[in-house]
Amino acid sequence: MVRDSDSLPFPPAYYALAVNGAKGGATKYLTLQFLNYARWTAQEHSVGLLPAVRIMFQRNMRGVDGAFRPLGFLSMWRPSVTLWNEAVHWGMKVTLTVGLYEQLRADLGRHGGLLVGVALNTGAEVIVTGPTERFGAHMAMTKTTSYWRSYEMTRLHRPNSALALWNGGGGLFVRNFSWNYTFFEWKRAMHNALDQPGYGPAWLEPHFQWLRRMEPKDAANILTFEAANLATYLTFFNMAGDNIKTKMTVDPDKFRTVRYTVAYIYREHGLLGFARGGLFKGLYLVAGATVAIGIQERLTTVMAKLLE
């Protein structure tokens, strides 16, 4: 069956997409969480690669007596709530976006429908995973082991429980929305270029000819990797929103509002401050999206065929 060029390149098998997306998100956490930890560290301190690595080493692999603790590396996978966060997040992302877009595109068009669908999906992501995102970053960076204590530390500086639990939610929405929309637009465009010779620029046609000689699942993985690169590195707001979210999450006393956090980052670090942690985030997000969505695509295709 030929895919409609306006549709997103995922089968509308929503249960399979959700289950397999969750599996992909969990795999991303288990294999790449150390990069996520590095990203939080760089953003918390607004530092580059080497200072972030130094802080990570001192925080996790040196004991209070200064002794080297090689197994301290494993503490970067704490707290385990981040596993839940990644599984739910990636279980929702493609599933909801595809479902919402299919309902909206007839009235709003291919770009408008996707824009609104991604906005609604991103809002749902923030509602569902905002608290787990906050717990994960805050507890990892402050070495807090109690979820209740982590909540209390933030609640002291927020006027109500909702703002404490969803602390940094505004930055999280900006981060997720900008990445999601850019990723799905590029993913669809590149699959169209793969399916239809001559659709893309002529100078890219040799690349798509090479992809056409591959198994479809392998070509899809490469296009996911390429779309994730473009979504990660061509969206300033993706990096900026992530920095704002992390600072508000880790230090809720100092960074109480989005407005203050934006002004502080710009005053102290300039525009570069909004891109701190970009190397780690890029590695984590590009590799993670390729793993998570790659697993989701492959397993969902298999399940869809079995159900035919």
Side-chain angles (χ1 to χ4, degrees), residues 94-159:
V94 173
T95 312
L96 270 182
T97 299
V98 171
L100 289 166
Y101 172 67
E102 288 300 321
Q103 298 297 316
L104 295 167
R105 67 170 174 153
D107 295 322
L108 300 178
R110 60 182 296 170
H111 300 297
L114 182 59
L115 184 74
V116 174
V118 165
L120 293 173
N121 166 64
T122 303
E125 286 179 3
V126 173
I127 290 170
V128 175
T129 67
T132 53
E133 182 88 22
R134 190 209 71 82
F135 276 119
H138 182 262
M139 293 174 70
M141 294 295 98
T142 61
K143 294 297 182 182
T144 305
T145 57
S146 164
Y147 290 96
W148 180 250
R149 177 59 183 152
S150 173
Y151 165 75
E152 285 185 321
M153 290 168 68
T154 302
R155 180 67 179 87
L156 285 172
H157 309 292
R158 295 296 181 268

Side-chain angles (χ1 to χ4, degrees), residues 3 27 31 56 70 98 106 161 167 219 235 244 253-254 276 293:
R3 184 179 65 86
T27 304
T31 56
M56 290 168 61
V98 171
S161 296
N167 182 39
T235 52
I244 294 165
D253 182 17
K254 183 175 182 178
R276 285 300 188 188
I293 295 180

Side-chain angles (χ1 to χ4, degrees), residues 20 37 54 100 105 108 132 144 151 161 174-175 189 215 243 245 251 253 265 276 283:
N20 295 323
Y37 190 98
R54 191 179 307 117
L100 289 166
R105 67 170 174 153
L108 300 178
T132 53
T144 305
Y151 165 75
S161 296
V174 171
R175 182 196 79 179
E215 289 287 330
N243 271 272
K245 185 271 301 179
D251 193 347
D253 182 17
I265 294 174
R276 285 300 188 188
L283 291 172

Side-chain angles (χ1 to χ4, degrees), residues 232-246:
T232 300
Y233 289 110
L234 295 184
T235 52
F236 172 78
F237 290 104
N238 164 46
M239 296 288 186
D242 203 35
N243 271 272
I244 294 165
K245 185 271 301 179
T246 298

Side-chain angles (χ1 to χ4, degrees), residues 100-292:
L100 289 166
Y101 172 67
E102 288 300 321
Q103 298 297 316
L104 295 167
R105 67 170 174 153
D107 295 322
L108 300 178
R110 60 182 296 170
H111 300 297
L114 182 59
L115 184 74
V116 174
V118 165
L120 293 173
N121 166 64
T122 303
E125 286 179 3
V126 173
I127 290 170
V128 175
T129 67
T132 53
E133 182 88 22
R134 190 209 71 82
F135 276 119
H138 182 262
M139 293 174 70
M141 294 295 98
T142 61
K143 294 297 182 182
T144 305
T145 57
S146 164
Y147 290 96
W148 180 250
R149 177 59 183 152
S150 173
Y151 165 75
E152 285 185 321
M153 290 168 68
T154 302
R155 180 67 179 87
L156 285 172
H157 309 292
R158 295 296 181 268
N160 56 58
S161 296
L163 288 178
L165 285 171
W166 278 271
N167 182 39
L172 180 61
F173 182 89
V174 171
R175 182 196 79 179
N176 287 7
F177 173 78
S178 58
W179 191 90
N180 290 347
Y181 181 69
T182 310
F183 171 80
F184 284 113
E185 283 282 15
W186 277 111
K187 177 76 167 164
R188 176 172 58 187
M190 289 193 291
H191 272 270
N192 286 345
L194 177 67
D195 297 340
Q196 305 170 43
Y199 182 93
W203 58 273
L204 276 177
E205 187 57 28
H207 175 62
F208 291 106
Q209 289 176 356
W210 172 65
L211 290 175
R212 292 183 195 113
R213 293 195 292 269
M214 296 182 176
E215 289 287 330
K217 61 180 182 295
D218 296 328
N221 279 161
I222 291 175
L223 293 182
T224 294
F225 172 78
E226 292 171 349
N229 268 288
L230 292 166
T232 300
Y233 289 110
L234 295 184
T235 52
F236 172 78
F237 290 104
N238 164 46
M239 296 288 186
D242 203 35
N243 271 272
I244 294 165
K245 185 271 301 179
T246 298
K247 285 195 176 297
M248 292 184 67
T249 296
V250 176
D251 193 347
D253 182 17
K254 183 175 182 178
F255 301 103
R256 299 192 178 215
T257 66
V258 171
R259 182 177 179 180
Y260 173 80
T261 307
V262 170
Y264 175 90
I265 294 174
Y266 184 75
R267 183 178 70 248
E268 297 296 323
H269 307 287
L271 287 176
L272 181 61
F274 293 101
R276 285 300 188 188
L279 175 61
F280 294 120
K281 177 180 173 58
L283 291 172
Y284 177 66
L285 191 49
V286 171
T290 304
V291 169

